[in-house]
Amino acid sequence: MESEASSPAAPLLKKETPIIQSNPKKKDFLNHLEAYLAKRDGVDKLLKISRYATKIILASSALPETLTLNHRLKSFESSVGVSRKAFRLGKFVQDVNALRASHFDSAEELALSLVAYGGEGVYFFVEQFVWLVKSGLIDKRHARRLGLISAWAEFVGYVGSVSLKIRDLRRIAEDEKRVKMSIEVAITRGIKCEEEKERLGKLIEKKLMKRLSVVQDSADALMALADIRDGKGHFLGPLSVSIAGLLSALISTHKNWVSC
């Protein structure tokens, strides 16, 4: 889950107005790739893509069980899963700092933030011990209990996160409505409104990224629910969960790539 913050559909202008978006200097690909791979989340999401792509192949029964490649893919998927847990070390601190730095406009926002950041923080904290179990340092008899606590905390965190982002989408929609009205008035009066058009373009881009975040968090929440229910239930089977995991990884990779 990733922390963000911002707005209901507004009536469109009668005439379409051209959107002017900022055109930043194109980054050198290799320098951009270096910056991306230097991030903890950058490497983690690449591992997540490789893991869930492998899980989809295994869950779809595309390969015969007796094939040597099938056993190697299972071993690879398991190893990548353990490797990814190492990236959770100390990550709960980012949720503590996010809460400390937040300014809340209402009691509802405070409550949702506590659920979102608190749930994710507990998840990352417990995942450190799950990693120690997987690594063999802690007795494996604790695995089920720790895994269940981790999954519940993750699920609760995503419920809070999705709720916050839906609130942000409403705010963005309200801002978008005001800007469109401002542009419409300016066009009617024959006044230049390049800044408003640029702001509108940024709001549309921000709305798209926020919607992608909602889809990503929903996919991750589905995977957490599958862990809680032990894969029992509609849309909680191995293939559905693997597709959700790959979708989440691709969205997160795109967001991290754009931001770095």
Side-chain angles (χ1 to χ4, degrees):
M1 178 175 67
E2 288 156 39
S3 40
E4 300 173 88
S6 314
S7 320
L12 296 173
L13 295 175
K14 293 177 183 175
K15 293 183 181 178
E16 244 183 22
T17 52
I19 295 170
I20 298 176
Q21 296 192 10
S22 55
N23 186 25
K25 187 178 178 182
K26 192 174 180 180
K27 293 181 181 178
D28 176 78
F29 174 76
L30 289 179
N31 288 337
H32 197 170
L33 181 62
E34 180 185 0
Y36 177 82
L37 293 176
K39 287 185 172 183
R40 179 196 334 223
D41 277 352
V43 177
D44 180 47
K45 299 315 173 191
L46 290 180
L47 289 173
K48 187 173 182 179
I49 288 173
S50 63
R51 186 187 183 205
Y52 283 102
T54 303
K55 284 174 79 75
I56 287 172
I57 294 171
L58 293 170
S60 63
S61 302
L63 299 174
E65 284 285 334
T66 54
L67 199 66
T68 304
L69 179 59
N70 191 71
H71 297 294
R72 288 180 178 174
L73 286 175
K74 285 182 179 178
S75 177
F76 171 76
E77 183 273 322
S78 177
S79 297
V80 171
V82 175
S83 299
R84 285 195 64 224
K85 291 193 183 298
F87 285 92
R88 286 9 184 269
L89 288 172
K91 204 172 180 182
F92 69 93
V93 176
Q94 74 182 21
D95 294 289
V96 175
N97 287 334
L99 268 177
R100 290 173 61 209
S102 295
H103 302 285
F104 308 108
D105 298 329
S106 64
E108 182 188 9
E109 188 172 355
L110 171 61
L112 289 175
S113 296
L114 286 171
V115 170
Y117 295 124
E120 186 181 66
V122 171
Y123 162 67
F124 283 136
F125 184 77
V126 176
E127 278 290 282
Q128 297 174 122
F129 297 98
V130 174
W131 173 65
L132 292 175
V133 170
K134 297 275 186 183
S135 301
L137 191 62
I138 295 178
D139 197 306
K140 289 191 177 181
R141 62 192 171 90
H142 300 294
R144 175 61 185 160
R145 184 182 300 173
L146 286 170
L148 202 55
I149 294 170
S150 171
W152 268 110
E154 183 182 21
F155 182 74
V156 168
Y158 281 126
V159 169
S161 178
V162 169
S163 301
L164 281 174
K165 287 169 184 174
I166 289 173
R167 281 169 55 93
D168 291 343
L169 280 169
R170 291 190 188 124
R171 289 174 185 165
I172 293 171
E174 288 169 4
D175 290 343
E176 189 179 345
K177 181 180 178 180
R178 282 193 291 268
V179 173
K180 283 181 177 178
M181 289 176 63
S182 176
I183 292 172
E184 189 175 45
V185 170
I187 290 174
T188 304
R189 295 177 179 176
I191 302 170
K192 288 185 178 180
C193 52
E194 303 306 314
E195 286 186 11
E196 286 83 357
K197 289 176 183 177
E198 185 174 353
R199 188 181 171 206
L200 179 59
K202 288 179 179 178
L203 282 171
I204 290 171
E205 185 180 352
K206 187 176 183 180
K207 182 169 69 176
L208 173 62
M209 298 302 288
K210 192 69 68 174
R211 283 175 172 171
L212 286 175
S213 288
V214 171
V215 172
Q216 179 192 346
D217 284 356
S218 300
D220 285 327
L222 179 69
M223 290 191 290
L225 183 60
D227 287 339
I228 293 168
R229 297 286 305 273
D230 208 15
K232 297 170 185 174
H234 295 297
F235 307 111
L236 299 180
L239 185 57
S240 301
V241 170
S242 299
I243 291 171
L246 183 60
L247 175 63
S248 168
L250 290 171
I251 292 173
S252 185
T253 299
H254 170 69
K255 284 163 49 186
N256 288 335
W257 180 264
V258 169
S259 67
C260 74

